[in-house]
Amino acid sequence: MAAKKTADVTAAVGVAMPTARGVAEAEPQGLAVRPGEEPWTPEEVAEARAGLEGEARRLQEELAASEEALSGLMRDSGEGAGHDEADTGTKNITREHEMALAANARATLEQTEHALQRLDAGTYGLCEVCGRPIGKARMQAFPRATLCVEDKQKQERRG
């Protein structure tokens, strides 16, 4: 859900996502890095892409399994006349837990797909608020990052 907040904040402020101008799409060395960082190597870009694609596949499978489980829970919720309140409460808690897992997987999948789109567009590693480099080390640690550390801290302070 944090990605949605980020997108909404960016849109509300009226700051356009930085374009790929000056960033060579086909050349990994053109991806943004902070001063003092080594440029991206083709191997590092391939590793980042493979990691994001693998994460997207895993999340799609997790989401499908979660939606199947939710479907079963919804179908079973009307059955069982005569169940006591504890049984009904347990079913409700299980259903709400599964819904939360599905929502989290969906949000993370959206963030992962957005990161892949940014990688394709040559804007991977650029902050969506200020346009400055996020930092190669941060992108390797958290490949779905869309904000530099400074803007992420500002966002978290705003709540």
Side-chain angles (χ1 to χ4, degrees):
M1 291 212 161
K4 253 189 175 110
K5 270 188 172 178
T6 301
D8 292 342
V9 169
T10 303
V13 174
V15 177
M17 188 169 135
T19 62
R21 277 180 285 171
V23 179
E25 290 180 29
E27 297 179 29
Q29 298 84 355
L31 291 179
V33 294
R34 285 190 156 207
E37 289 183 322
E38 293 291 319
W40 287 87
T41 65
E43 294 80 17
E44 290 169 333
V45 173
E47 185 178 322
R49 180 179 301 282
L52 287 166
E53 288 172 346
E55 180 76 355
R57 279 190 301 277
R58 184 190 69 74
L59 289 164
Q60 288 167 343
E61 291 169 4
E62 183 180 314
L63 193 54
S66 190
E67 287 173 350
E68 187 176 319
L70 258 174
S71 175
L73 287 169
M74 296 297 209
R75 187 175 49 250
D76 293 344
S77 67
E79 296 176 5
H83 284 296
D84 62 16
E85 289 180 23
D87 289 340
T88 302
T90 300
K91 285 181 182 180
N92 286 342
I93 290 170
T94 303
R95 185 174 55 243
E96 287 174 14
H97 178 72
E98 200 61 46
M99 288 170 63
L101 289 175
N104 184 48
R106 195 172 294 110
T108 306
L109 178 59
E110 287 174 10
Q111 292 171 2
T112 303
E113 289 172 342
H114 184 62
L116 284 165
Q117 290 166 353
R118 288 169 47 94
L119 195 55
D120 291 339
T123 58
Y124 187 74
L126 291 176
C127 178
E128 289 186 343
V129 172
C130 68
R132 291 188 307 255
I134 292 172
K136 180 178 167 184
R138 178 166 161 76
M139 295 306 296
Q140 288 174 323
F142 186 65
R144 294 181 307 272
T146 58
L147 301 176
C148 64
V149 172
E150 295 82 5
D151 285 320
K152 183 64 177 170
Q153 289 173 340
K154 288 177 193 173
Q155 180 194 49
E156 288 174 355
R157 278 193 293 266
R158 277 181 262 157

